Amino acid sequence: MDHFLYRDGALYAEDVSISEIAAAVGTPFYVYSTATLLRHFRLFDDALEGLDHLVCYAMKAASNQAIIKTLGDAGAGMDVVSQGEYLRARAAGIPGNRIVFSGIGKTAEEIRTALTGGIRQFNVESEPEMAVLNAVAIELGVIAPITIRVNPDVDARTHAKIATGKSENKFGIPISRARAVYAHGATLKGLKIIGIDVHIGSQLTDLAPFEQAYTKVAELTEILRGDGHEITRLDLGGGLGIPYAHSNQAPPLPTDYGAVIKRTVGHLGCEIEIEPGRLIAGNAGLLITKVIYVKSGEDREFMILDAAMNDLIRPAMYDAHHDIIPVIEPAPATLPQTYDIVGPVCESGDTFARDRAMPPVVADDLIAFRSAGAYGAVMASEYNSRPLIPEVLVNEDQFAVIRRRPTYQEMINRDTMPAWL
Ligand code: LLP
């Protein structure tokens, strides 16, 4: 459920009309709903009720500081994967002891920043990383709390580019080698092993892979405890999918996911962390764009928008489906028209949807992409020298620009000329 609904024939974000925001900030732009962000965070928080737990929002999904602060104020922790994300979370007021640091390529500099600034734990992904973390911790005279990410070799049954839990993926250490790596980790003076981490992929629409992975984590917990390790915390990653197409069957709910967690690892007495990103932010954001032209091809109509693949890369990159709706609700009996919906960037990959049935549109009509809150703005680029588009946050009847559109001059002025030119 989200808070983007038609009212009297016009699309609203909570109590603010999308057309009004468009008039104020211009198109294209991203708009997020505070109520939806909070609702989704609380669904996870409630789903883990009864367990000692922390929901660490995977801020890679949407990392504007206003979004981070909204969730942080509600009690969320953060899952970060770079120094930039770490510093962004800190800038948004998240205390270090609510930040977990994931990722397979943490550099010594990134580790130093987090160890100095405060961190809840590092999710270590390899032995070489463990060695660097140990060395930096000793150099700083601190002890780094760690979990080790295991790769459970489970098929997440999702898009190949976002599956992470098969043995051929680059993530974690093979679960078969876990005992040896934990034994080695326990000898390192700069580290304190506190738990196990797992994350098997993103946009999972079936709970069975979670169940398999978490069952393996539970077995491993018992084995490692038997080896003398204190396993007090389990980080179970993110990955629960969202409904992208209204026509499709909805994926399982956070409460069903919570039941899997309780069933598989609930008896271990561990503190549980999860790292959802997409389910919190995905359906809390829209991309709003305007029709520039409608153009007739040989056998099809092209709807040319002012948003492009540089603003929302998911369709080009993962063949992702996003529902696309008009901001002004069509009259009930309107007959649909079929369009290829494209952006202005100079490559055919800049296609959002083919043969999509839509109410007929004309130039200047406003169009909304649904489910664009996660992996939308954060994956944008300035390809074709198109400036990054603004982000807007709505809260009931208020809205605020939370990242403004840069001017062309600001974008161009970032280049510097070498002395010889
Ligand atoms: N934790 C770790 C270690 C992750 O790698 C990820 C996502 C998450 C948590 C959050 O997963 P979520 O709950 O959002 O599924 N750009 C792609 C998605 C990439 C996901 C990468 N890792 C897309 O647009 O579909």
Side-chain angles (χ1 to χ4, degrees):
M1 201 205 108
D2 61 41
H3 291 76
F4 302 112
L5 298 169
Y6 288 115
R7 270 193 208 170
D8 298 328
L11 189 63
Y12 273 67
E14 302 189 20
D15 299 329
V16 183
S17 127
I18 295 290
S19 305
E20 183 191 332
I21 304 173
V25 306
T27 56
F29 64 92
Y30 280 99
V31 56
Y32 307 95
S33 150
T34 299
T36 314
L37 288 166
L38 289 175
R39 178 186 142 78
H40 291 160
F41 164 70
R42 290 188 181 123
L43 285 176
F44 279 115
D45 209 27
D46 293 348
L48 297 183
E49 209 190 301
L51 294 175
D52 184 7
H53 70 275
L54 185 66
V55 178
C56 295
Y57 168 61
M59 57 177 271
K60 63 167 76 69
S63 58
N64 190 292
Q65 287 179 64
I67 293 174
I68 295 170
K69 181 154 171 40
T70 299
L71 294 167
D73 286 353
M78 294 291 141
D79 169 49
V80 308
V81 291
S82 69
Q83 184 165 353
E85 285 194 349
Y86 176 83
L87 293 173
R88 208 173 252 275
R90 298 290 282 134
I94 308 297
N97 65 10
R98 273 202 263 148
I99 302 178
V100 304
F101 204 142
S102 300
I104 64 161
K106 304 175 199 78
T107 65
E109 183 195 327
E110 291 184 306
I111 289 169
R112 198 169 289 119
T113 300
L115 270 181
T116 316
I119 193 79
R120 180 178 180 81
Q121 101 232 2
F122 292 89
N123 294 331
V124 171
E125 299 227 15
S126 67
E127 288 160 289
E129 181 197 338
M130 204 155 79
V132 170
L133 180 54
N134 181 51
V136 176
I138 288 172
E139 169 201 312
L140 294 174
V142 296
I143 292 183
I146 68 162
T147 70
I148 298 176
R149 178 168 175 183
V150 293
N151 184 323
D153 196 20
V154 163
D155 183 356
R157 298 180 212 158
T158 183
H159 190 287
K161 285 188 182 156
I162 53 176
T164 56
K166 284 290 285 174
S167 59
E168 70 254 30
N169 300 134
K170 66 183 177 181
F171 300 94
I173 56 153
I175 199 160
S176 56
R177 288 194 28 235
R179 290 179 81 179
V181 178
Y182 272 82
H184 175 58
T187 67
L188 301 176
K189 300 276 179 287
L191 308 183
K192 170 150 180 54
I193 294 177
I194 56 169
I196 307 174
D197 172 44
V198 72
H199 169 78
I200 56 173
S202 193
Q203 187 54 18
L204 273 72
T205 52
D206 178 2
L207 291 175
F210 287 120
E211 179 121 25
Q212 285 166 29
Y214 298 167
T215 302
K216 290 191 178 190
V217 167
E219 287 163 11
L220 182 62
T221 304
E222 310 273 20
I223 292 170
L224 292 175
R225 283 178 172 169
D227 288 349
H229 302 284
E230 269 182 60
I231 303 295
T232 57
R233 187 179 290 170
L234 301 178
D235 182 332
L236 302 175
L240 190 60
I242 62 170
Y244 274 98
H246 269 61
S247 47
N248 280 5
Q249 212 191 342
L253 300 171
T255 162
D256 306 323
Y257 172 70
V260 169
I261 291 177
K262 288 179 180 167
R263 194 159 65 235
T264 51
V265 300
H267 59 287
L268 296 167
C270 286
E271 185 180 6
I272 302 298
E273 285 166 2
I274 54 170
E275 304 169 347
R278 189 190 311 266
L279 201 143
I280 290 179
N283 280 326
L286 304 178
L287 167 63
I288 308 297
T289 169
K290 194 164 72 179
V291 178
I292 308 178
Y293 298 116
V294 177
K295 146 173 167 170
S296 300
E298 179 72 35
D299 60 353
R300 55 192 61 234
E301 293 285 290
F302 293 100
M303 185 194 302
I304 304 173
L305 302 176
D306 67 359
M309 64 190 290
N310 69 296
D311 304 308
L312 178 66
I313 192 92
R314 303 194 68 261
M317 194 154 173
Y318 315 110
D319 294 318
H321 172 100
H322 285 261
D323 278 349
I324 304 174
I325 59 171
V327 167
I328 301 302
E329 193 175 21
T334 310
L335 287 179
Q337 156 95 44
T338 303
Y339 293 102
D340 276 14
I341 303 176
V342 303
V345 160
C346 303
E347 54 183 283
S348 297
D350 187 21
T351 297
F352 291 119
R354 287 188 203 285
D355 298 323
R356 183 72 68 90
M358 288 274 295
V361 298
V362 296
D364 291 337
D365 280 359
L366 290 173
I367 299 292
F369 281 67
R370 298 181 63 89
S371 316
Y375 307 111
V378 285
M379 294 181 80
S381 76
E382 290 179 342
Y383 186 37
N384 279 207
S385 286
R386 296 167 47 87
L388 292 182
I389 65 176
E391 294 180 285
V392 172
L393 182 63
V394 169
N395 184 18
E396 299 182 346
D397 61 355
Q398 310 176 67
F399 76 90
V401 174
I402 55 174
R403 188 179 68 195
R404 70 175 175 80
R405 193 189 308 276
T407 64
Y408 283 104
Q409 211 53 52
E410 282 170 328
M411 180 178 71
I412 293 164
N413 286 349
R414 288 208 313 267
D415 299 354
T416 49
M417 283 294 168
W420 63 86
L421 285 178

